Amino acid sequence: LQGFISTYNAAMTELSNNRGQTDVALHGESIVYQLTNALQKVANCGAGTGGISSLAALGVTFSDTTGQLSLNASIFNSATSGQSDALTQFLGSVTGGGFLQAATNAMSNIMDTSSGVLTQDLHTT
């Protein structure tokens, strides 16, 4: 989970570095906003039906001012204590539902070689 948060924050930082600036490579490119929206959807994904229904329920918080995620360890520990089945259900797998499948699908939609956002953006520039 901490690895996801670190990677998410790094990606959001890079996207933020290209938003609102006039002297950057991606100035005015819609891809910056499309990628930002896709990442935010992944972070806000509700994928569980059991005791854990979202990353927020696991203690992942979103900063309104920085756009970064952080993990509240005490909430995580409380949410997962004795809840290994609920955690496993929420996380799921890449092909078997849950957060991991939702995140994989979102990234696939971005990177798909025939219809992904990145592919379409490369073909229109």
Side-chain angles (χ1 to χ4, degrees):
L1 195 53
Q2 191 60 53
F4 166 75
I5 290 169
S6 295
T7 302
Y8 175 93
N9 288 343
M12 292 301 279
T13 296
E14 287 303 315
L15 290 167
S16 292
N17 289 341
N18 283 281
R19 191 178 313 107
Q21 304 295 322
T22 57
D23 60 345
V24 294
L26 296 175
H27 169 68
E29 294 292 329
S30 65
I31 191 72
V32 172
Y33 298 98
Q34 291 171 322
L35 292 173
T36 299
N37 288 338
L39 287 173
Q40 288 174 340
K41 283 181 184 177
V42 169
N44 290 314
C45 170
T49 56
I52 300 171
S53 60
S54 67
L55 289 175
L58 289 172
V60 177
T61 58
F62 178 80
S63 169
D64 291 335
T65 57
T66 66
Q68 301 287 295
L69 296 178
S70 60
L71 178 64
N72 182 314
S74 63
I75 293 174
F76 177 82
N77 291 335
S78 177
T80 59
S81 178
Q83 297 292 326
S84 60
D85 288 342
L87 180 59
T88 300
Q89 182 181 359
F90 169 74
L91 291 175
S93 68
V94 171
T95 59
F99 174 77
L100 293 175
Q101 185 177 29
T104 299
N105 290 346
M107 292 299 103
S108 294
N109 289 337
I110 290 170
M111 300 177 69
D112 184 89
T113 56
S114 62
S115 63
V117 170
L118 291 176
T119 302
Q120 291 176 1
D121 195 65
L122 288 172
H123 291 294
T124 59
T125 56

